């Protein structure tokens, strides 16, 4: 196996999407039983010149979707919660009844926006953090 230099690795990371990079970091953490939280500023600082500001703005890549209220259409909200999660009917109902509760945790921005849109479409009030 040919070892890549640090510059070659950074060039490869530059070509990855945030989702791909996030998946890589998770796999790296699992494989080596480490936490990359301390390394995150190094990765941002090591980015392409001129792109560092954009990467800093995109640094938050994990969001929580919080159900703050079920609204008038509780049954539709329960159905959407079941679609978004792997919860059974009772668990989804308990989650909706116990609002405010997180529906999804540590998801990317696109998934959080889609979940928020779906839940609001069913009549729920939602917050993304």
């Amino acid at each position: 196996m040919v070892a890549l230099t640090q510059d070659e690795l950074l060039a490869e990371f530059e070509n990855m999407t945030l989702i791909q990079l996030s998946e890589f970091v998770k796999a790296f953490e699992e494989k080596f039983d480490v936490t990359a939280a301390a390394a995150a500023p190094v990765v941002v600082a090591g980015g392409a010149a001129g792109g560092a500001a954009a990467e800093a703005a995109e640094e938050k890549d994990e969001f929580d979707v919080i159900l703050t209220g079920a609204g008038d259409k509780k049954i539709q909200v329960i159905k959407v919660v079941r679609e978004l999660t792997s919860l059974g009917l009772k668990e989804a109902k308990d989650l909706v009844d116990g609002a405010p509760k997180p529906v999804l945790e540590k998801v990317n921005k696109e998934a959080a926006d889609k979940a928020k849109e779906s839940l609001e479409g069913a009549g729920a009030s939602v917050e993304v953090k």
Side-chain angles (χ1 to χ4, degrees):
M1 183 171 109
V2 177
L4 298 175
T5 67
Q6 185 174 2
D7 290 334
E8 291 171 330
L9 283 171
L10 287 173
E12 287 298 316
F13 291 141
E14 252 178 1
N15 295 327
M16 296 173 82
T17 65
L18 287 176
I19 294 171
Q20 291 170 326
L21 191 54
S22 174
E23 290 170 352
F24 170 78
V25 169
K26 287 177 187 172
F28 186 91
E29 289 174 340
E30 289 174 10
K31 171 107 176 148
F32 296 105
D33 194 28
V34 295
T35 302
V42 174
V43 172
V44 171
E55 286 181 15
E58 295 176 351
E59 185 175 331
K60 182 171 180 172
D61 61 349
E62 292 183 342
F63 298 87
D64 295 340
V65 180
I66 312 293
L67 177 70
T68 56
D72 296 337
K73 301 175 183 176
K74 187 169 145 184
I75 294 173
Q76 283 79 3
V77 174
I78 292 171
K79 287 180 182 179
V80 173
V81 168
R82 290 191 67 203
E83 290 172 9
L84 295 172
T85 65
S86 59
L87 296 176
L89 180 61
K90 181 178 180 350
E91 292 84 4
K93 181 183 179 302
D94 290 345
L95 187 145
V96 171
D97 288 340
K101 291 252 181 161
V103 176
L104 297 173
E105 295 179 317
K106 298 183 180 180
V107 296
N108 64 33
K109 177 74 171 159
E110 294 165 5
D113 288 342
K114 283 183 182 180
K116 180 180 180 183
E117 187 177 307
S118 297
L119 287 164
E120 286 177 343
S125 53
V126 181
E127 190 176 297
V128 176
K129 293 184 179 184

